[in-house]
Amino acid sequence: MVRSLRQRAVTGSYEDPRVTGLRTAVSRLRRELATYPAEFPDRAIAEDELAALAAMVTHGTPEAPRLRRSLLLIAGSIGSVSALARSLSEVRRAVELFGETPRR
């Protein structure tokens, strides 16, 4: 947050630190998925949803329900690829910062 406030003072602009964190987590998972050597059935779904998340964070603060939907699609499509679990968890934590999941 200090860095964001400093950026605001220097450039006159401010970016929500949640957006910055989500952008970083999505970028990391996209890179790891791109270099993951094995194919799996729903890889294209994961790639498409990660691209959608990346686009959302370039246009301001994204909507929490849309973020959660994308997260569910990504998690479901990646499945049990343990090599991607850490980065997927980082994306999940970043999405959770945008609001609580509604209780049923």
Side-chain angles (χ1 to χ4, degrees):
M1 178 112 176
V2 172
R3 181 178 175 198
S4 295
L5 294 175
R6 192 175 305 138
Q7 175 186 11
R8 181 177 170 183
V10 173
T11 65
S13 66
Y14 171 77
E15 182 173 76
D16 186 333
R18 299 175 304 167
V19 172
T20 304
L22 182 57
R23 180 182 300 117
T24 301
V26 166
S27 178
R28 180 174 295 123
L29 182 54
R30 287 181 85 183
R31 280 191 313 271
E32 288 184 15
L33 182 58
T35 60
Y36 186 72
E39 286 298 320
F40 48 92
D42 295 329
R43 184 181 190 132
I45 294 169
E47 291 169 342
D48 289 347
E49 284 304 314
L50 284 166
L53 280 176
M56 280 186 253
V57 296
T58 62
H59 301 300
T61 303
E63 297 177 7
R66 178 65 175 103
L67 292 175
R68 286 192 294 274
R69 178 184 176 279
S70 288
L71 178 62
L72 286 172
L73 288 169
I74 294 164
S77 61
I78 288 177
S80 62
V81 178
S82 61
L84 302 173
R86 182 174 172 195
S87 292
L88 179 58
S89 292
E90 290 176 14
V91 171
R92 179 187 54 80
R93 282 191 296 275
V95 166
E96 288 174 348
L97 294 175
F98 286 88
E100 292 183 25
T101 303
R103 300 201 184 252
R104 294 180 187 210

